[in-house]
Amino acid sequence: MFLKTSFTTLIVGVFVVYVLHTCWVMYGIVYTKPCNNPKGANCITPFLAGNPKLQLSIYTTLRSNAEGGHTLIHKEENFDVNSKFERTINVSLPKKTRNNGTLYALIFVHQAAHDPWHDPRQVHLVAQLTTYMVPKPPEISLISGEDKTKLHDAATGGGARAGATSVSDHPVSHWRSRLTVNIVGDHFLFDREYLPNDVHRYLRVFQNGKKVVYLPLLFVDELSNRVKDLVINSTTTELPLIISYDSISLGRLRFWIHMQDAVYSLQQFGFTEKDADEIKGIFVDTNLYFLALTFFVAAFHLLFDFLAFKNDISFWKQKKSMVGMSSKAVLWRCFSTIVIFLYLLDEQTSLLVLIPAGIGSMIEVWKVKKAFKIQVFWKGGKPTFLFGKLDESERRTEEYDTLAMKYLSYLLYPLCIGGAVYALIFLRYKSWYSWLINSLVNGVYAFGFLFMLPQLFVNYKAFNTFIDDVFAFIITMPTSHRLACFRDDVVFLIYLYQRWLYPVDKTRVNEYGVSYDEKPKGKSH
């Protein structure tokens, strides 16, 4: 017991150190030490402090270095750094871009009435307007064979496929329909000795007499490029582009730089565009308080997942009898976790959700082996399974389990079958497998609630998973999987009601003749 407690304490201690270290790192990112002596030689002053007249110009080019020509697509002549705006323009796509090619945007912030290509006081960045991704297969009616995408295009005159006629299994060029540009509006005085490394790559300086002046800090927000905004560019000659601009603080700029670097690192380790999109969704359009809440919820979710797996394995390793345990619930939970894992895999859900589901499925298979006392023997390379026998107490538990399931299943069986037939007729899926796995997972989510109740019927057992509810609304996942997180909460409320309705009677004598309300008698001498 001491070793187990020490191990859990060690894990919690490491977790606390990790949270504190992360908070310190976040503080170092958000806070930048300013220059205390504005007239000193170490100070780098902002070019924006002189209120210069600026212009924003955006070009498109086939190469990031602008070789081969460029085309002006938009300019803001009276550009105010502190004025937020959003413009929608149509961009002509070159033939090479339409033929599964790329297209870049060159964003210039320069002095008004000056050519950006020859202005010594200009800053510019390159942003990619296209990205490569495997297109999502269309959803069709399995009965009539009608394509949902074609029906949508016929009704609206277009759509996310932008003229595509077939779906490829290989990555194709997608158009990024949003370009978000930011400039730091703070007139911050940098100190040369404490210049942050993350800002250094965006800093452009020039000598103005004895002063060192830095040009506007221009930033392109890549986190705002979401998968839902991507459009396949196959035959369309023009596509819309939303140009969004807003000023940001220096702390927010540094935070965005670190987040974009983290997403880029994940993609280098094999994360797909969709996986990276799930990470982006946490940070886009959120304030600092919600980001802090997101971090703490994700951290605690990781800790609770680890401790739950650890305690579950420890409990079942020591379990020798199924008295008071619902074996049908164990078998069902194994089946349901495998179905949910296959459903999440079919929906191409984020790895943040998929990996824990896969680990949970393997643990549930092992628990079935323990619950049914299954022994595996290998003879000639073929497995032989031997099932153990139940004792009298375990058989009584099975009777209660069967009785509880008998009445609860009368309503849900017709509902699940009817739901599968309704989905087959009125909804559209990628394939018959997709319909089958969706119908199974809907039954799993419904019967998952059903199979939690026999455990209450037997021994009032419940699990506290309220932290999972918050996590479900932060991480992108299928809606049905998100709603299923609330099943445990309903069961837990029933558990609390039963604890209040049937309190523990400590004066009652148990099977060993002991009453916990009585004080132990001392030995006579």
Side-chain angles (χ1 to χ4, degrees):
M1 185 65 184
F2 176 76
L3 293 177
K4 294 180 181 179
T5 305
S6 299
F7 179 74
T8 303
T9 304
L10 177 63
I11 294 299
V12 174
V14 171
F15 170 77
V16 172
V17 173
Y18 165 75
V19 171
L20 294 177
H21 177 264
T22 304
C23 292
W24 175 255
V25 171
M26 294 298 295
Y27 173 77
I29 292 175
V30 175
Y31 175 76
T32 304
K33 185 177 180 179
C35 184
N36 296 324
N37 185 13
K39 297 182 180 180
N42 287 336
C43 288
I44 307 176
T45 59
F47 180 69
L48 294 177
N51 295 321
K53 292 183 178 181
L54 301 175
Q55 180 176 317
L56 174 68
S57 301
I58 302 177
Y59 297 81
T60 57
T61 177
L62 292 173
R63 297 185 179 181
S64 59
N65 57 6
E67 291 183 359
H70 51 270
T71 303
L72 178 66
I73 60 173
H74 182 72
K75 64 178 180 179
E76 291 282 333
E77 295 182 351
N78 298 319
F79 179 59
D80 184 4
V81 173
N82 296 315
S83 296
K84 179 181 179 181
F85 67 83
E86 187 171 283
R87 307 280 189 265
T88 302
I89 62 173
N90 290 324
V91 180
S92 298
L93 302 182
K95 185 177 180 180
K96 289 185 178 180
T97 303
R98 297 197 301 269
N99 294 333
N100 209 27
T102 59
L103 192 66
Y104 296 90
L106 290 173
I107 303 102
F108 285 88
V109 174
H110 56 96
Q111 298 179 96
H114 283 69
D115 183 7
W117 300 93
H118 301 93
D119 184 8
R121 300 290 184 263
Q122 60 84 17
V123 289
H124 70 276
L125 286 177
V126 180
Q128 195 168 336
L129 294 178
T130 57
T131 186
Y132 287 92
M133 191 177 69
V134 177
K136 183 179 180 181
E139 296 180 347
I140 62 174
S141 173
L142 299 177
I143 296 180
S144 63
E146 292 180 342
D147 191 337
K148 182 178 180 181
T149 305
K150 293 180 179 178
L151 292 176
H152 176 75
D153 291 346
T156 61
R161 300 187 57 76
T165 57
S166 61
V167 177
S168 173
D169 294 332
H170 304 287
V172 298
S173 180
H174 286 64
W175 174 256
R176 289 177 170 174
S177 59
R178 176 174 290 273
L179 177 64
T180 304
V181 181
N182 302 113
I183 291 180
V184 176
D186 305 336
H187 296 172
F188 191 85
L189 290 175
F190 285 104
D191 192 326
R192 290 185 180 182
E193 297 181 359
Y194 300 98
L195 187 64
N197 293 328
D198 44 33
V199 178
H200 189 271
R201 63 178 124 160
Y202 292 91
L203 205 63
R204 302 291 182 269
V205 299
F206 66 92
Q207 194 77 29
N208 185 13
K210 295 183 178 180
K211 292 184 178 180
V212 178
V213 182
Y214 69 91
L215 294 170
L217 292 173
L218 179 64
F219 178 71
V220 176
D221 184 7
E222 298 286 348
L223 295 178
S224 61
N225 293 325
R226 305 296 305 280
V227 170
K228 63 182 180 181
D229 298 325
L230 296 179
V231 179
I232 299 178
N233 54 316
S234 57
T235 60
T236 306
T237 58
E238 280 191 355
L239 284 175
L241 176 65
I242 300 174
I243 301 175
S244 177
Y245 170 78
D246 194 8
S247 62
I248 58 174
S249 63
L250 178 61
R252 194 174 185 87
L253 170 69
R254 297 188 60 195
F255 181 79
W256 275 170
I257 292 173
H258 281 270
M259 292 305 103
Q260 286 192 174
D261 290 346
V263 172
Y264 178 78
S265 299
L266 291 176
Q267 291 176 323
Q268 298 303 307
F269 279 106
F271 273 56
T272 63
E273 183 79 20
K274 183 174 177 59
D275 294 328
D277 186 71
E278 309 294 348
I279 306 296
K280 294 179 182 179
I282 300 176
F283 304 103
V284 176
D285 299 329
T286 55
N287 54 42
L288 183 61
Y289 298 103
F290 187 78
L291 286 175
L293 175 64
T294 300
F295 163 72
F296 283 108
V297 168
F300 277 102
H301 186 271
L302 179 64
L303 174 65
F304 291 158
D305 268 353
F306 177 82
L307 294 179
F309 286 147
K310 167 189 169 294
N311 292 338
D312 205 18
I313 294 174
S314 299
F315 172 79
W316 281 92
K317 282 182 66 177
Q318 301 173 2
K319 192 69 177 175
K320 303 298 182 183
S321 173
M322 284 297 294
V323 176
M325 297 291 294
S326 175
S327 60
K328 286 185 175 63
V330 176
L331 183 62
W332 171 260
R333 191 170 181 85
C334 177
F335 171 76
S336 63
T337 51
I338 294 175
V339 170
I340 291 173
F341 174 74
L342 294 176
Y343 167 69
L344 297 175
L345 191 64
D346 182 65
E347 291 290 325
Q348 298 179 347
T349 310
S350 169
L351 294 177
L352 297 173
V353 181
L354 191 61
I355 292 177
I359 296 175
S361 300
M362 293 186 290
I363 294 177
E364 293 300 328
V365 171
W366 173 74
K367 285 163 63 175
V368 168
K369 177 179 177 296
K370 292 283 294 184
F372 289 87
K373 303 176 181 179
I374 301 176
Q375 296 180 347
V376 182
F377 301 96
W378 294 87
K379 295 181 180 179
K382 295 181 180 180
T384 303
F385 300 95
L386 179 63
F387 293 83
K389 296 182 179 180
L390 301 178
D391 57 26
E392 185 63 28
S393 298
E394 290 175 330
R395 279 194 293 269
R396 285 200 299 268
T397 301
E398 288 296 316
E399 293 176 0
Y400 292 133
D401 195 7
T402 304
L403 180 63
M405 286 302 308
K406 178 180 178 182
Y407 299 105
L408 292 173
S409 61
Y410 287 156
L411 178 63
L412 289 181
Y413 276 124
L415 286 178
C416 291
I417 296 175
V421 174
Y422 174 85
L424 180 62
I425 298 174
F426 296 100
L427 302 181
R428 288 172 170 81
Y429 297 93
K430 294 177 291 186
S431 61
W432 284 96
Y433 171 77
S434 182
W435 167 78
L436 177 62
I437 202 69
N438 273 268
S439 301
L440 285 176
V441 83
N442 288 333
V444 161
Y445 288 142
F447 278 90
F449 174 75
L450 172 69
F451 271 87
M452 291 176 189
L453 296 178
Q455 198 60 65
L456 294 177
F457 189 82
V458 174
N459 64 354
Y460 313 112
K461 185 177 181 180
F463 299 93
N464 187 351
T465 59
F466 290 112
I467 194 69
D468 290 339
D469 304 335
V470 182
F471 185 76
F473 282 96
I474 292 177
I475 299 299
T476 305
M477 60 183 66
T479 303
S480 55
H481 187 72
R482 176 175 290 148
L483 294 176
C485 295
F486 292 97
R487 299 174 306 171
D488 295 350
D489 303 315
V490 176
V491 175
F492 183 70
L493 293 176
I494 297 174
Y495 163 74
L496 293 179
Y497 174 73
Q498 287 187 333
R499 286 294 301 266
W500 172 79
L501 191 63
Y502 307 111
V504 178
D505 185 7
K506 294 185 178 181
T507 62
R508 185 177 60 185
V509 178
N510 61 14
E511 64 271 25
Y512 301 105
V514 178
S515 173
Y516 289 97
D517 197 42
E518 296 179 357
K519 295 181 179 180
K521 299 179 181 179
K523 295 182 179 180
S524 57
H525 297 281

